[in-house]
Amino acid sequence: MKEGEKRCWQCQTESLGLWCPACGALQPCSDDPFRCFDLDDRIQIDLESLRSRFHALSRQFHPDFFQQKSPDAQAVSLSNSATLNAAYRTLKEPISRATYLIRLVAGTEEVKTEPPAELFAEIFDLEEALEVVADGSGGDGDRATLVAARERFRARAEAMQREMAALFTEWDGLLLDRSRSWTTAQQACVARLRQTLSHRGYLARMLHRITEAIG
Amino acid sequence: MIVGIDLGTTNSLVAYIDDSTPRVVTDADGVAMVPSVVAFEGGRIIVGAEAKRDRVARADRTVTSIKRFMGRSLDEVRQAQKWIPFRLSGGAVIQIEVDGATYTPPAISAMILKALKERAEAALGVAVTQAVITVPAYFNDAQRQATKDAGRIAGLSVPRVVNEPTAAALAYGLQKKKEGTIAVYDLGGGTFDLSILRIKDGLFEVLATHGDTELGGDDFDRRIMAQMIDAISRQFGPDAVSDPALLQAMYAAAEAAKCRLSAEQSADLLISQGEIQYAGVITRSAFEASIADLIARTLDACRQACADASILPTAVDEVVLVGGSTRIPAVRQAVADFFKKRPHCDLNPDEVVALGAAVQADILSGGTTDLLLLDVTPLSLGIETMGGVVSLLIARNTTIPTQAKESFTTYADGQRSVSIHVVQGERELVKECRSLNHFHLTGIDPMPAGMARIEVTFLINADGILHVTAKELRSGKAQSVEVTPSYGLADHEVEAMIAASIEHAKADMTARLLIEARNEATTVLRHAEAGLVNGKDLLKVLEIEKIGQAIAALRTAMAGSEPHPIRERLGELDDATRHLAEMLMDRALQTSLQNRRVDAL
């Protein structure tokens, strides 16, 4: 078979859509969430239309409607439904959409959570304060350190939320077509997106720990 | 025809679609519920109302609430032993020792399913070979698998297991033509589920579910029993309460009192079992106080489900009550307070699940095409990683079917196999979750450590049951996956039980033939003995002796447990009395002729 050529698993007719034009068999859908939903690689999407698309595709794929079909057709339906549900989960949240695109552009690496460079200096003191407050040996000073840090971190997290929104808009504006041969501008955008996500994750975790320690 | 079956802890029902309307199958008296009670009587299996009625007389040969043992290991249910009059043994799969034999929970459940199957066949006049069976939404993988096994043992293929609250929502939504967000509060005999669904244009989407598979009416009964056990063991000693008949009698009394307390302010508890006499009273307020913690546990699950569905309890449009235990006024009040609205109970809470199962069955058979259920997996699925920590694969409340892919490699040169330990549960440590399965990927080509890249797909199907496949990415070769279930029955064990159940069917048949032969023999004996008295003057001594011998031989055969000898002796008695019968007939004829002549005169 030639590259890009797709044939129906059942009757071998050339078939590019979800349904074979010759025998009417359901074809395997794409593993890629954006392709599965037939969407451009945008981070900002309309949730209501995503949802109705999810429902429409569920009605096409669900194993309930293939119970009377052949075992092979049932297998395609099961696999498509599983893929669709996983895709919907990825597309429902902006962060998971962005994370998916980062992996697509930057390879398969995970997005690790790391502290922003400007916070390196205070992290050491903060960790110490967290420790003593948690085991009950801390004084009012340690508590005050945490309260102050929480204020700063919250403000920082809010700013980061705005940065991220701006990056989402920037990414969406850089989209040209569906080819996925990424431009330098796109790669640079994703690199910043990745860093912001990583910092955001770190801040969220620290805020959670501080709140647990001081209530 | 695919039927829908609600296989409940205390009652079971079967339903079907009649001209696009779901209906429950009833018996001659119009009763739809079959008590999930199985009794054993000399090789005969008795299921349902008769078994429940005679539970005290057959105390140690009557099995109730078998659903609580489905898919469980002995370790998980050990504390239940003191509440039940039969012995539990086994290990990964529980064995129930009753009437000199052992049965697994799926084998006992299969007996209930078979009774429902026969009931449906009698009512519909067609063979029933497929059934959608409902399970609690919070049932784990092993419990679901055990339910499917039970179906197979009963001679039913089970194209789908459906979650009970979802089935209820399907029946409810269909009947009431409702749209919006509904919460189904399902408190049955042994299990509790809370599911939150969104209904729109015939699509029923479960947003979240939470529950407890060991919380239900049985536990309420036990709280009442505790009061009796206390008093009786004080008066008669602690050993007295371990008597199976007393245990069954207490259960029956507690259940009856509980039901009465839904309508009345107090109920009597009367036990008269051999030496033991007990007369007590329980008030509604005392009962409600004794179950307050259990009701609170259901509300914890409600809270969790609402959080997972990202919805405030007050934002739920409707609350639907399902399961017999929702008749308890305190339960209704607690639900109303939690959701800040009056729950709906206008559908029969006992029947709605079976009706929904029938609707799902109709969807699967292609009859209904405009409805679709999108359900979720109730428990998170993870794999064991270094240090006994769980790495999450599929989060709870993920829409099913769903899948997750994970890559594995080898850590030694030439390593030929990799083992994966899959667990189900919400905790971070393996030991706090429930071990599901060990999967062994075998037949990996020898290569240096870390070179192999095996992609494993964990797929949860529409039944909520996990299937694992694997392939080596470099070669594209599918890996064989060997499964060692931590719990549950291996395929060959299920096959053996199917065989055993066929054996049982033979035993059932023998029992029926025996009863029929005995009945016939009784009638024939009565006639023969009467004939001997009436026709003594017509026969020679030798003939009378022969008939006497045949009668004695038949009586001996009737005392046995085989129908065949009775039939043979019946034939012999028939031969021996033929002459007598002819003579008696002649005499009767002559008498009647004489009479007629007299009449004619």
Side-chain angles (χ1 to χ4, degrees):
Chain A
M1 212 194 301
K2 274 182 280 173
E3 190 75 21
E5 188 184 354
K6 280 174 77 182
R7 290 189 174 278
C8 169
W9 58 269
Q10 187 166 269
C11 72
Q12 306 306 318
T13 304
E14 192 167 341
S15 150
L16 293 169
L18 274 174
W19 301 89
C20 171
C23 72
L26 176 66
Q27 304 299 309
C29 65
S30 171
D31 269 348
D32 181 285
F34 289 92
R35 295 294 179 266
C36 178
F37 274 80
D38 196 23
L39 290 171
D40 293 329
D41 300 326
R42 276 175 212 286
I43 300 178
Q44 292 160 311
I45 59 177
D46 176 44
L47 284 180
E48 247 340 285
S49 67
L50 181 77
R51 199 180 150 77
S52 48
R53 180 99 184 110
F54 170 62
H55 289 166
L57 287 170
S58 291
R59 283 192 184 275
Q60 295 191 47
F61 294 170
H62 201 277
D64 276 10
F65 303 128
F66 288 78
Q67 200 66 33
Q68 311 297 327
K69 301 263 166 63
S70 72
D72 284 341
Q74 287 185 28
V76 174
S77 141
L78 177 59
S79 162
N80 275 12
S81 286
T83 305
L84 173 69
N85 289 329
Y88 184 50
R89 215 159 51 243
T90 302
L91 295 181
K92 253 197 301 197
E93 304 290 333
I95 301 298
S96 57
R97 284 196 293 275
T99 308
Y100 182 83
L101 287 170
I102 290 168
R103 284 192 200 142
L104 201 64
V105 177
T108 57
E109 279 171 89
E110 294 288 326
V111 178
K112 293 200 184 74
T113 56
E114 279 163 0
E118 74 269 20
L119 293 180
F120 279 162
E122 57 180 297
I123 283 169
F124 186 76
D125 291 342
L126 198 59
E127 287 285 353
E128 204 174 74
L130 268 174
E131 205 169 297
V132 292
V133 170
D135 68 19
S137 61
D140 286 345
D142 298 305
R143 236 188 125 73
T145 306
L146 291 185
V147 172
R150 180 159 70 178
E151 284 312 301
R152 268 199 315 283
F153 279 22
R154 275 188 181 152
R156 189 76 188 81
E158 271 167 37
M160 213 167 267
Q161 205 66 31
R162 287 190 296 274
E163 280 168 43
M164 216 160 54
L167 283 168
F168 288 171
T169 310
E170 184 185 332
W171 166 266
D172 289 351
L174 290 170
L175 273 183
L176 300 170
D177 51 40
R178 289 192 167 195
S179 69
R180 286 184 173 172
S181 45
W182 312 111
T183 62
T184 328
Q186 282 173 318
Q187 281 169 347
C189 178
V190 154
R192 275 180 291 142
L193 197 51
R194 183 175 175 179
Q195 195 179 44
T196 312
L197 269 182
S198 156
H199 294 167
R200 181 187 167 279
Y202 175 83
L203 282 178
R205 208 178 61 210
M206 282 310 272
L207 278 168
H208 180 74
R209 285 177 63 198
I210 294 171
T211 303
E212 282 214 319
I214 62 177
Chain B
M1 155 87 67
I2 311 177
V3 296
I5 290 178
D6 172 6
L7 182 60
T9 308
T10 43
N11 290 297
S12 298
L13 297 93
V14 55
Y16 66 105
I17 295 287
D18 175 23
D19 192 18
S20 69
T21 306
R23 290 187 204 290
V24 290
V25 177
T26 55
D27 65 8
D29 301 324
V31 178
M33 285 205 280
V34 177
S36 303
V37 181
V38 178
F40 298 85
E41 176 83 72
R44 206 159 67 92
I45 296 162
I46 304 151
V47 177
E50 187 194 337
K52 184 177 180 178
R53 188 191 62 217
D54 296 337
R55 64 188 284 179
V56 177
R58 292 193 201 98
D60 55 354
R61 283 169 292 142
T62 301
V63 180
T64 55
S65 299
I66 191 62
K67 190 172 179 178
R68 296 194 116 175
F69 301 133
M70 292 287 275
R72 299 201 166 269
S73 71
L74 188 60
D75 282 339
E76 288 177 291
V77 300
R78 226 177 265 281
Q79 83 297 354
Q81 180 68 70
K82 72 166 176 162
W83 297 102
I84 51 175
F86 43 86
R87 246 183 61 77
L88 300 176
S89 62
V93 176
I94 294 166
Q95 301 283 343
I96 288 147
E97 296 176 16
V98 53
D99 205 20
T102 58
Y103 304 91
T104 61
I108 304 241
S109 292
M111 294 165 191
I112 300 166
L113 289 174
K114 213 180 234 173
L116 294 167
K117 173 179 143 83
E118 282 161 11
R119 173 180 276 230
E121 285 173 340
L124 303 175
V126 293
V128 172
T129 55
Q130 295 191 77
V132 167
I133 303 178
T134 61
V135 293
Y138 215 58
F139 251 20
N140 65 31
D141 192 276
Q143 292 167 307
R144 286 165 196 273
Q145 192 59 58
T147 304
K148 290 199 94 168
D149 290 345
R152 272 174 72 196
I153 297 165
L156 289 167
S157 83
V158 184
R160 178 68 47 80
V161 292
V162 160
N163 293 331
E164 285 155 9
T166 322
L170 197 53
Y172 177 81
L174 198 64
Q175 201 158 332
K176 302 280 166 187
K177 305 257 175 282
K178 287 285 178 189
E179 301 237 308
T181 310
I182 70 166
V184 180
Y185 180 100
D186 180 358
L187 187 58
T191 58
F192 169 70
D193 287 317
L194 189 282
S195 287
I196 297 171
L197 298 95
R198 191 150 31 188
I199 309 175
K200 192 172 184 271
D201 302 329
L203 198 128
F204 292 66
E205 188 182 3
V206 179
L207 302 179
T209 192
H210 206 83
D212 194 326
T213 56
E214 279 177 277
L215 177 56
D218 274 359
D219 300 284
F220 301 161
D221 296 344
R222 287 174 187 180
R223 293 290 164 91
I224 300 177
M225 277 171 79
Q227 170 183 338
M228 292 186 259
I229 289 175
D230 243 27
I232 291 171
S233 54
R234 256 202 313 273
Q235 195 180 345
F236 298 94
D239 288 344
V241 291
S242 62
D243 171 47
L246 180 63
L247 213 51
Q248 296 274 24
M250 287 194 294
Y251 248 122
E255 194 192 353
K258 174 187 71 180
C259 294
R260 270 203 308 283
L261 288 177
S262 289
E264 287 156 36
Q265 292 300 328
S266 78
D268 292 337
L269 293 167
L270 300 172
I271 299 282
S272 172
Q273 192 58 45
E275 308 238 295
I276 292 164
Q277 306 292 320
Y278 171 80
V281 174
I282 183 161
T283 62
R284 184 191 282 183
S285 57
F287 171 60
E288 287 178 350
S290 77
I291 62 167
D293 62 315
L294 298 175
I295 296 177
R297 256 166 70 192
T298 70
L299 297 183
D300 287 342
C302 294
R303 220 163 273 129
Q304 183 67 59
C306 285
D308 284 357
S310 310
I311 190 168
L312 289 170
T314 48
V316 170
D317 296 321
E318 313 243 347
V319 182
V320 180
L321 296 181
V322 181
S325 300
T326 58
R327 292 200 170 90
I328 297 172
V331 169
R332 292 194 172 184
Q333 193 55 49
V335 176
D337 291 347
F338 181 83
F339 290 100
K340 303 271 187 295
K341 55 183 60 72
R342 262 170 72 96
H344 279 264
C345 31
D346 40 355
L347 289 184
N348 184 334
D350 296 318
E351 293 182 357
V352 65
V353 170
L355 294 174
V359 175
Q360 179 64 38
D362 199 48
I363 294 173
L364 295 182
S365 48
T368 301
T369 52
D370 53 345
L371 299 180
L372 177 62
L373 268 188
L374 295 178
D375 219 316
V376 298
T377 178
L379 295 157
S380 299
L381 194 76
I383 46 177
E384 177 170 358
T385 58
M386 297 253 280
V389 175
V390 179
S391 158
L392 181 73
L393 276 179
I394 294 170
R396 69 165 182 268
N397 291 320
T398 293
T399 305
I400 52 172
T402 190
Q403 63 188 12
K405 289 182 176 163
E406 193 78 21
S407 283
F408 294 87
T409 188
T410 49
Y411 51 85
D413 291 343
Q415 188 181 339
R416 301 297 303 273
S417 70
V418 171
S419 289
I420 305 165
H421 183 200
V422 179
V423 297
Q424 210 167 19
E426 306 310 321
R427 307 296 293 277
E428 283 178 19
L429 293 180
V430 169
K431 61 174 189 212
E432 293 163 335
C433 288
R434 190 181 201 283
S435 172
L436 195 59
N437 270 323
H438 287 270
F439 295 94
H440 307 286
L441 312 176
T442 57
I444 300 167
D445 291 335
M447 52 186 119
M451 283 295 284
R453 276 196 53 209
I454 303 151
E455 185 188 72
V456 181
T457 304
F458 300 86
L459 184 140
I460 299 180
N461 68 12
D463 287 329
I465 294 175
L466 175 69
H467 289 269
V468 171
T469 50
K471 69 178 178 209
E472 209 285 305
L473 288 182
R474 274 170 226 287
S475 61
K477 184 172 111 182
Q479 291 298 144
S480 72
V481 182
E482 235 175 77
V483 187
T484 319
S486 303
Y487 295 90
L489 297 167
D491 223 34
H492 66 90
E493 290 175 299
V494 175
E495 295 297 339
M497 273 184 229
I498 295 170
S501 110
I502 292 166
E503 278 300 307
H504 257 299
K506 276 189 202 146
D508 290 350
M509 178 71 94
T510 308
R512 206 172 63 227
L513 288 177
L514 181 65
I515 291 165
E516 284 169 3
R518 278 180 182 157
N519 288 345
E520 199 179 326
T522 310
T523 314
V524 170
L525 275 175
R526 207 170 53 232
H527 285 302
E529 280 165 346
L532 265 185
V533 174
N534 294 335
K536 216 164 191 166
D537 54 318
L538 299 168
L539 295 173
K540 293 179 192 130
V541 180
L542 204 69
E543 263 183 310
I544 294 174
E545 242 171 54
K546 250 178 95 180
I547 294 172
Q549 280 163 6
I551 288 174
L554 180 57
R555 285 197 187 283
T556 312
M558 279 173 74
S561 59
E562 288 293 316
H564 197 65
I566 301 178
R567 290 274 163 213
E568 281 185 359
R569 301 293 96 80
L570 261 172
E572 286 164 18
L573 180 60
D574 206 35
D575 288 344
T577 54
R578 185 160 302 132
H579 185 227
L580 170 64
E582 282 166 9
M583 307 269 280
L584 284 170
M585 189 75 87
D586 275 354
R587 184 148 81 187
L589 208 61
Q590 275 166 18
T591 314
S592 86
L593 284 175
Q594 275 167 6
N595 286 347
R596 199 172 294 168
R597 248 177 257 138
V598 172
D599 290 343
L601 282 174

